[in-house]
Amino acid sequence: MKVQVTTHGIPRRPDSPSEDAFRVHEGDGRIVAVLADGLGSSKAGGAAARRAVDMLVDYYLSRPQSWSPRRALTEFASQINLLLHQESQALHGSPELLCTLSAVALEGGRLYGFNVGDSPVYLWHQDTLKQLSTAHTLAQPGMHHVLTRAIGLEPAVEATPFECDLADGDMVVLCSDGVSNALPSDKLSALLARRAAARTIVSTAAEAAGEDAELHDDSSAVVLEITQSNWSGAAAPRPLEVLPSLRAGESIDNYRLVRSLQEGDRVWLAQRDDGARHVLKFPPLEARTDEVRADAFIRELWRAARIDSPDFARAITPAEGSLRYYAMEFIDAPTLRETLKRQPLRVEDAVELGRFLLRAGQSLVARDLVHGDIKPDNILVLGDTASSRFQLIDFGSTAEVFSVTSRAGTPTYLAPERFHGGALSERTELFSIGVTLYEALTRTYPYGEVERFQTPRFDHPAKRPSRLNPAIPPWLEAILLRAITPDATHRYQHFSEMAYDLDHPQTVVAYSPHDAPLLERDPLRFYKCLSFALFLTVLVLTFLILQR
Amino acid sequence: MNIAQLKKSGHWPTLATSFLYFDVSFMVWTILGALGALIAPQLGLNAQQKFLMVSTPILAGAILRIALSMLVDRIGTKTTGIIAQLIVMAGLVVAWQVGLSSLNQALMLGVVLGIAGASFAVALPQSGRWYPPHMQGVVLGLAGAGNVGVVIDHLLAPRIAAAWGWQAVFGFALIPLGLAFVLYAIFSKEPPGEFKKKKLSDYVRLLAERDAHWFCFFYTISFGGFVGLATAFAIYFKDQFHLNPVHAGEMAAFCTLVGALGRPMGGAFADKLGGIRALSIFYSIAAVAMVGAALTNNLWICGGAFFIASGAFGMCNGSVFQLLPQRFAKDISVMTGLVGCGGGLGGFLLGMFFGTSKEYTGSYTTGIIFFAGLCVVALIGLTTVKGRWRTTWGATAAARI
């Protein structure tokens, strides 16, 4: 397949950045092109557009293999929408991360696409121009620039999907409304008949807009010209297969099941023919009848496969056949939970664990993900007694930042706001990290053990960890207490803040709860005030005695 | 959440009349328990037969509630409700006019009264389906109020029996039943919308889950303890301490009341402390109180211990129903039926423990201690469930919540 790709974008004014964003990816016999237009009326439209475009391309390239292109595109659209919506609610208190989003994917001689908002997608086929997208704008005259749907506006959005076959010589155009408003379809047809590239289309639109302020807007276009359509590399969707009950000794593909690692027998230690040992995770039995569970597994598999970092156990999906499981390298190391049964971590190991968890968190957040279930059971302790190394496992709760508002995870490690509909975020992860470190050093939970389905109250402050483990230095205690503060606004806000404190003990500010008495918050000042008050009393008494 | 909101959303006449129906039904369901001490001598029953008689409606209610809930999905809630009420009233008319002359007749009446006990399966979906999900808690809470019907039995039945004979009690019971029936027939309305029909295979599928077994068992102990004690109290207090029926009824009413009121409190505790922790506490209290009651022979200590046990069982009921909708969110209606069936079985079991123990050992001690032993089994079950919940992997857990 040969496709000529051209892209071009210019901002409204030369000195201001464009709020449009676009990205095209070619490879493996498929092409995905995405264009987004940040809403000018919102505070962070441009950022939303750039994020949406990047996320969509990344997601699509590693899309779950059991999803068709159409399903994947619409699922991703609603996922990106929810994520931007909840992030904006958490950061701004109102939807500010708003943009339009249009995307096409070319696979196996067919075009799949969707749009949300008013950035059009056109197909030039046999000398006729056809608009594939549907403009989500108000129909009344003069109101056509008012969007009825946008990414990030509401928790749910319905993307309009479309698909069609492609032939040699077809051209696909994605553009922002800065182009489509300035270029009526007859002018665009004329340009495409001449096989114009994106640069020509955008600059013609800018000329047409001229000095008309009404038409002047950020203008971008992506043009895909199909020159030769002998398609290859189209990936047929691979269905999810739920194997019935499994037994030790059973052979699956080139694995032999050794022993079950978890109650329910869906996670197995298995040995490959070449001797390598892997952990195989199978979808739960309920996934046979329950669409939601099957989907949850597909997403877990997809997310796990995207993560590639030495801090995490690497996940692999079977190379061929149906998707029946995913494999992770097996590391024969105890979990932190097991080592804690014997003894608490040494302070230097705990600091190292903190650094590790924060680094892992940062590398996930760079992909817009959070682990979602950080706890001693999910941390492997490698290395020897001299120095500990760690690895994070289990991606069952891993999710996009701000995408989860349920209580998924382990209750004892959940931040208080997550019991009341708060979204999964860096701050809630920091709380989990804080509780994990607290437990690693003291072998007790700061707020007691929380059960599933319980709505705990955090009205008693956590016990100072140094009282439980005298080896903990004051600066580390301050860091721990700041990470597990029930009030999210008084907690660390970013992984980097906590990481900085761990690396610079001498600059750590002592922590005390904001409603603590002065004696606890600032003993020195308390005694100064007390002494001053005593001094005044002495003065008054002296004066009274002298009066007599 | 307030009454005004309850009036605005949904259909409050249905809510009011279906709960009136449920509450009076619950009252007649346990009426044999209140009268058992009076009927037994006339029929010449031994201790075991006595308790079999008072426990039969509980067992019948447990099984019929599943039958009724399937009928509800097929012929509609209101039709089912009307048929069920007519059968119960007919049964009572016969018992009132003809009387009971043998154990078999009493057992037959017991089965008919079981239909009244199964009214839960009709009234709850009928009113519940009118309301949005976030108001289900209030609707379920009102359902809990039905348990107070047992208290009314114990207070009124012995007094009416003393004045007009026990047969007349069935006649008097027809007054509230008839009233509730008329109001129900006129004002209640079929809930709108289509609902998924429950099939027997749904019950079977759920029974394959280990948590489902335990939840049924938990409710078998808690609701069984509550309702079993409620029906056994009158006979027990009369037998053990030779109280007159009115006095025994008052003791029974007092002990039952705390169980009925404990239910909503148990739910609130479970939400704050965690359901498992709350259940562990309440089961332990119940077990200790039952053993205490079994080993003493003083009316006040014994009464006090049963008072505590009944209250603890009541709170267990509330705690089980705090956990249940969260654990079995999707299958809650099927699960409620299963668990309720378990509860009824438990009530029957406790009654049989009382009767068999009295018949073969001459005292109630063994039976009561045996039931206390089941509380300990429930405690063991709680730790296994807790362990399993702790190790569930994320994807499944997230989908479940």
Side-chain angles (χ1 to χ4, degrees), chain A residues 227-352:
Chain A
T227 51
Q228 190 189 345
S229 61
N230 51 338
W231 302 96
S232 66
R238 294 163 68 184
L240 180 75
E241 186 185 345
V242 184
L243 295 175
S245 52
L246 303 156
R247 241 173 256 113
E250 214 168 308
S251 296
I252 287 157
D253 293 346
N254 43 2
Y255 285 107
R256 197 174 50 78
L257 299 185
V258 178
R259 66 185 152 90
S260 168
L261 294 177
Q262 203 148 52
E263 189 160 0
D265 297 346
R266 304 308 284 176
V267 183
W268 287 79
L269 173 63
Q271 185 147 28
R272 210 163 54 184
D273 293 346
D274 62 6
R277 293 203 292 174
H278 283 141
V279 175
L280 301 190
K281 184 166 182 191
F282 296 87
L285 283 176
E286 292 88 340
R288 279 185 296 194
T289 50
D290 190 337
E291 188 75 20
V292 179
R293 294 251 190 129
D295 232 50
F297 185 79
I298 293 173
R299 283 169 198 271
E300 176 181 338
L301 187 154
W302 167 58
R303 291 194 188 102
R306 273 163 66 206
I307 298 165
D308 181 14
S309 150
D311 293 337
F312 308 102
R314 184 148 170 59
I316 324 145
T317 50
E320 51 203 24
S322 61
L323 295 170
R324 281 161 286 185
Y325 57 86
Y326 70 86
M328 279 173 297
E329 52 188 317
F330 175 70
I331 302 145
D332 199 3
T335 64
L336 181 58
R337 166 82 59 221
E338 283 154 12
T339 53
L340 285 183
K341 272 182 195 149
R342 292 197 303 275
Q343 68 205 35
L345 282 193
R346 291 173 306 179
V347 170
E348 57 267 36
D349 287 339
V351 172
E352 188 49 44

Side-chain angles (χ1 to χ4, degrees), chain A residues 405-407 410-422 447-460, chain B residues 266-278 319 322-323 326 389 401:
Chain A
T405 50
S406 73
R407 297 178 176 190
T410 307
T412 309
Y413 303 87
L414 286 190
E417 60 268 27
R418 293 209 47 209
F419 291 96
H420 305 283
Y447 301 102
E449 186 179 10
V450 183
E451 276 180 16
R452 269 187 87 187
F453 311 130
Q454 179 186 354
T455 308
R457 291 152 57 149
F458 291 83
D459 38 12
H460 294 290
Chain B
F269 271 122
D271 199 41
K272 293 280 172 264
L273 297 176
I276 303 266
R277 200 171 296 142
S319 305
Q322 187 265 349
L323 282 173
Q326 309 196 58
W389 285 0
I401 298 173

Side-chain angles (χ1 to χ4, degrees), chain A residues 109-300:
Chain A
R110 232 176 130 66
L111 174 151
Y112 306 87
F114 76 87
N115 78 295
V116 174
D118 63 351
S119 302
V121 178
Y122 299 102
L123 176 69
W124 174 255
H125 177 67
Q126 292 177 347
D127 292 336
T128 46
L129 187 71
K130 188 181 162 202
Q131 182 167 347
L132 299 173
S133 59
T134 314
H136 300 133
T137 52
L138 287 179
Q140 292 100 307
M143 302 288 272
H144 62 90
H145 61 283
V146 180
L147 292 183
T148 53
R149 289 181 207 172
I151 293 288
L153 190 59
E154 277 163 357
V157 73
E158 200 185 326
T160 308
F162 45 82
E163 55 181 280
C164 62
D165 281 321
L166 292 172
D168 287 3
D170 284 359
M171 293 176 87
V172 180
V173 180
L174 290 83
C175 60
S176 63
D177 63 342
V179 172
S180 61
N181 288 345
L183 279 184
S185 53
D186 55 325
K187 281 193 185 168
L188 185 59
S189 297
L191 285 172
L192 290 175
R194 291 193 279 121
R195 310 253 135 212
R199 179 181 290 274
T200 320
I201 293 175
V202 170
S203 50
T204 314
E207 273 169 38
E211 291 307 306
D212 189 346
E214 191 67 8
L215 290 176
H216 229 74
D217 197 355
D218 299 327
S219 307
S220 321
V222 174
V223 180
L224 311 173
E225 185 183 348
I226 290 96
T227 51
Q228 190 189 345
S229 61
N230 51 338
W231 302 96
S232 66
R238 294 163 68 184
L240 180 75
E241 186 185 345
V242 184
L243 295 175
S245 52
L246 303 156
R247 241 173 256 113
E250 214 168 308
S251 296
I252 287 157
D253 293 346
N254 43 2
Y255 285 107
R256 197 174 50 78
L257 299 185
V258 178
R259 66 185 152 90
S260 168
L261 294 177
Q262 203 148 52
E263 189 160 0
D265 297 346
R266 304 308 284 176
V267 183
W268 287 79
L269 173 63
Q271 185 147 28
R272 210 163 54 184
D273 293 346
D274 62 6
R277 293 203 292 174
H278 283 141
V279 175
L280 301 190
K281 184 166 182 191
F282 296 87
L285 283 176
E286 292 88 340
R288 279 185 296 194
T289 50
D290 190 337
E291 188 75 20
V292 179
R293 294 251 190 129
D295 232 50
F297 185 79
I298 293 173
R299 283 169 198 271
E300 176 181 338

Side-chain angles (χ1 to χ4, degrees), chain B residues 7-171:
Chain B
K7 270 182 165 176
K8 258 184 276 158
S9 48
H11 187 248
W12 71 267
T14 304
L15 184 69
T17 53
S18 58
F19 278 119
L20 190 61
Y21 155 46
F22 171 57
D23 287 6
V24 295
S25 292
F26 204 94
M27 192 178 83
V28 295
W29 186 30
T30 50
I31 205 164
L32 278 181
L35 294 177
L38 300 166
I39 302 175
Q42 286 194 20
L43 302 185
L45 303 181
N46 66 27
Q48 200 179 9
Q49 290 168 329
K50 217 174 350 185
F51 280 100
L52 176 65
M53 175 180 76
V54 300
S55 307
T56 301
I58 315 272
L59 179 67
I63 296 162
L64 286 171
R65 87 181 359 233
I66 290 188
L68 235 54
S69 94
M70 297 218 281
L71 206 60
V72 158
D73 289 337
R74 280 157 186 82
I75 64 170
T77 48
K78 193 168 178 179
T79 323
T80 314
I82 286 176
I83 294 174
Q85 293 183 70
L86 285 174
I87 296 176
V88 172
M89 286 194 291
L92 282 176
V93 169
V94 172
W96 174 35
Q97 290 301 324
V98 181
L100 302 171
S101 54
S102 71
L103 176 64
N104 281 340
Q105 286 179 359
L107 294 185
M108 268 152 66
L109 177 65
V111 173
V112 171
L113 292 183
I115 297 176
S119 61
F120 193 80
V122 181
L124 209 67
Q126 181 170 10
S127 44
R129 285 172 186 177
W130 275 102
Y131 289 88
H134 70 275
M135 300 186 79
Q136 295 295 322
V138 187
V139 173
L140 268 168
L142 283 173
N147 291 352
V148 177
V150 195
V151 181
I152 302 172
D153 273 341
H154 283 310
L155 289 180
L156 293 186
R159 289 186 164 76
I160 295 169
W164 292 284
W166 56 263
Q167 234 167 290
V169 177
F170 297 132

